[in-house]
C-alpha cells in the first residue's frame, strides 16, 4: 500500500472541531483512503473511508482533495472520548480486502477539557 | 453495529503451555484476521482466513496455528507458548471485496507468557 504522512500529534479543546491531515502524494487511482483510530488499551476502530468524494458518517467527515494527494478527517465536536491515535491508510482495490492493514505511526490526538 | 468479540481481555499463561485465543464476529464476514501489536512494531499479521477451513499465513506465522470451523469463529493457537509471544493480540473481520471493505477489530487480548 502507498505511503501516508501524518503529524505526530495534535491537540484540541473539547467541543471544538478537529481537522486531522494526511498526505498521500503517491496515491494511485484505485486506492481507497481509510481512517482508523485506536483508543488506549483497545483495538483499532474503523472510522471512515472514501475514494474521491467527501464522505460523512455518524463519527466523522472525510474531505478529499481534488487531486487526491491529501485528505482531512474532521471531527465536528471533539469529546474526551475522541482522544486516540488516528491512522490514515491507503487500501488498494481489488486486493485490499484480503490483505493486512499496515498502520504507520498515526497522529496522537489530545483533547483538553 | 459490527461486533467482534475476543474471549479474554487479559490472559496469563506459562511457557510451554498450549494457548487458545478465540474470536467471534456477528456480521457474516467472510474474512477474519489475527494480528499482534507490539510497541514500536505496529500491527503485524499472523494469519488470515477468507472462508471456512481456509487460511493463509501472514507475516509472522511461526509458533502459531489457526482454526476456522465455522464462519463466525476464528481461533488462534499458540502451540507451545514462549515469552516472546507476550503481546496484544487483535482479531479483525471484514467482508470479502476490494479496498473499500473496512476491517472491524475486537478489543484485543493482552497475553502474558511467564
Amino acid at each position: 500500500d502507498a505511503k501516508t504522512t501524518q503529524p505526530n500529534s495534535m491537540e484540541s479543546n473539547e467541543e471544538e472541531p478537529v481537522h486531522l491531515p494526511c498526505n498521500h502524494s503517491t496515491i494511485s487511482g484505485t486506492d481507497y483512503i481509510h481512517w482508523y483510530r485506536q483508543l488506549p488499551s483497545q483495538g483499532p476502530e474503523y472510522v471512515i473511508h472514501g475514494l474521491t468524494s467527501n464522505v460523512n458518517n455518524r463519527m466523522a467527515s472525510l474531505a478529499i482533495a481534488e487531486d487526491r494527494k491529501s485528505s482531512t478527517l474532521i471531527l465536528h465536536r471533539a469529546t474526551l472520548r475522541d482522544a486516540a491515535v488516528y491512522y490514515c491508510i491507503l487500501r488498494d482495490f481489488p486486493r485490499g480486502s484480503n490483505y493486512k492493514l499496515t498502520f504507520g505511526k498515526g497522529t496522537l490526538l489530545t483533547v483538553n477539557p | 453495529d459490527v461486533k467482534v468479540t475476543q474471549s479474554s481481555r487479559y490472559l496469563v499463561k506459562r511457557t510451554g503451555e498450549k494457548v487458545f485465543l478465540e474470536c467471534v464476529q456477528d456480521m457474516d464476514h467472510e474474512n477474519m484476521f489475527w494480528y499482534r501489536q507490539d510497541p514500536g512494531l505496529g500491527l503485524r499479521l499472523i494469519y488470515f482466513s477468507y472462508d471456512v477451513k481456509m487460511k493463509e499465513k501472514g507475516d509472522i506465522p511461526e509458533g502459531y496455528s489457526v482454526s476456522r470451523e465455522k464462519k463466525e469463529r476464528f481461533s488462534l493457537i499458540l502451540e507451545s507458548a514462549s515469552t516472546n509471544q507476550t503481546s496484544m493480540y487483535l482479531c479483525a473481520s471484514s467482508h470479502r471485496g476490494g479496498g473499500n471493505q473496512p476491517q472491524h477489530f475486537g478489543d484485543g487480548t493482552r497475553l502474558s507468557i511467564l
Side-chain angles (χ1 to χ4, degrees):
Chain A
D1 293 327
K3 188 174 165 52
T4 62
T5 305
Q6 299 177 252
N8 289 334
S9 62
M10 291 184 65
E11 209 168 312
S12 173
N13 296 320
E14 206 175 2
E15 305 211 350
E16 289 184 359
V18 181
H19 291 233
L20 295 161
C22 182
N23 287 320
H24 28 79
S25 57
T26 59
I27 192 170
S28 76
T30 54
D31 282 336
Y32 281 81
I33 302 159
H34 285 246
W35 284 82
Y36 288 77
R37 70 181 185 182
Q38 190 167 18
L39 280 66
S41 301
Q42 292 191 23
E45 178 183 24
Y46 164 74
V47 178
I48 201 167
H49 74 276
L51 184 62
T52 56
S53 304
N54 294 344
V55 184
N56 300 300
N57 67 21
R58 63 177 175 81
M59 289 180 70
S61 296
L62 177 60
I64 300 172
E66 203 170 323
D67 63 5
R68 301 209 327 125
K69 292 184 188 298
S70 66
S71 60
T72 303
L73 179 71
I74 302 164
L75 307 179
H76 294 286
R77 289 181 69 214
T79 68
L80 297 179
R81 198 200 169 274
D82 292 321
V85 179
Y86 285 79
Y87 299 97
C88 168
I89 300 166
L90 301 183
R91 308 250 19 242
D92 184 23
F93 186 94
R95 70 180 189 138
S97 172
N98 290 342
Y99 277 67
K100 62 188 175 187
L101 280 175
T102 302
F103 284 18
K105 288 189 168 33
T107 297
L108 174 63
L109 175 65
T110 302
V111 180
N112 300 315
Chain B
D1 278 353
V2 176
K3 188 76 174 165
V4 178
T5 304
Q6 295 186 228
S7 52
S8 306
R9 288 297 308 272
Y10 300 94
L11 207 52
V12 179
K13 296 291 182 180
R14 297 211 172 271
T15 304
E17 280 193 71
K18 191 167 186 175
V19 181
F20 293 86
L21 303 182
E22 306 286 342
C23 174
V24 177
Q25 51 93 4
D26 66 357
M27 282 302 292
D28 204 34
H29 285 165
E30 295 84 9
N31 298 334
M32 295 189 75
F33 306 80
W34 274 107
Y35 295 88
R36 63 179 282 181
Q37 186 173 33
D38 301 286
L41 296 177
L43 237 59
R44 292 182 291 169
L45 182 65
I46 305 171
Y47 268 97
F48 73 93
S49 168
Y50 52 89
D51 204 345
V52 174
K53 296 192 188 296
M54 306 304 288
K55 61 185 179 186
E56 288 207 19
K57 293 179 180 179
D59 296 323
I60 50 164
E62 297 79 19
Y64 303 94
S65 62
V66 290
S67 171
R68 192 161 179 207
E69 297 296 319
K70 293 186 178 182
K71 191 175 185 180
E72 67 271 18
R73 186 179 296 271
F74 192 33
S75 303
L76 179 70
I77 303 148
L78 283 66
E79 298 291 343
S80 177
S82 64
T83 54
N84 63 11
Q85 292 178 309
T86 291
S87 185
M88 168 74 102
Y89 288 86
L90 292 160
C91 175
S93 70
S94 76
H95 277 303
R96 191 176 295 150
N100 60 335
Q101 295 298 330
Q103 289 185 18
H104 298 273
F105 287 80
D107 282 336
T109 296
R110 191 164 291 282
L111 175 65
S112 295
I113 308 295
L114 304 179

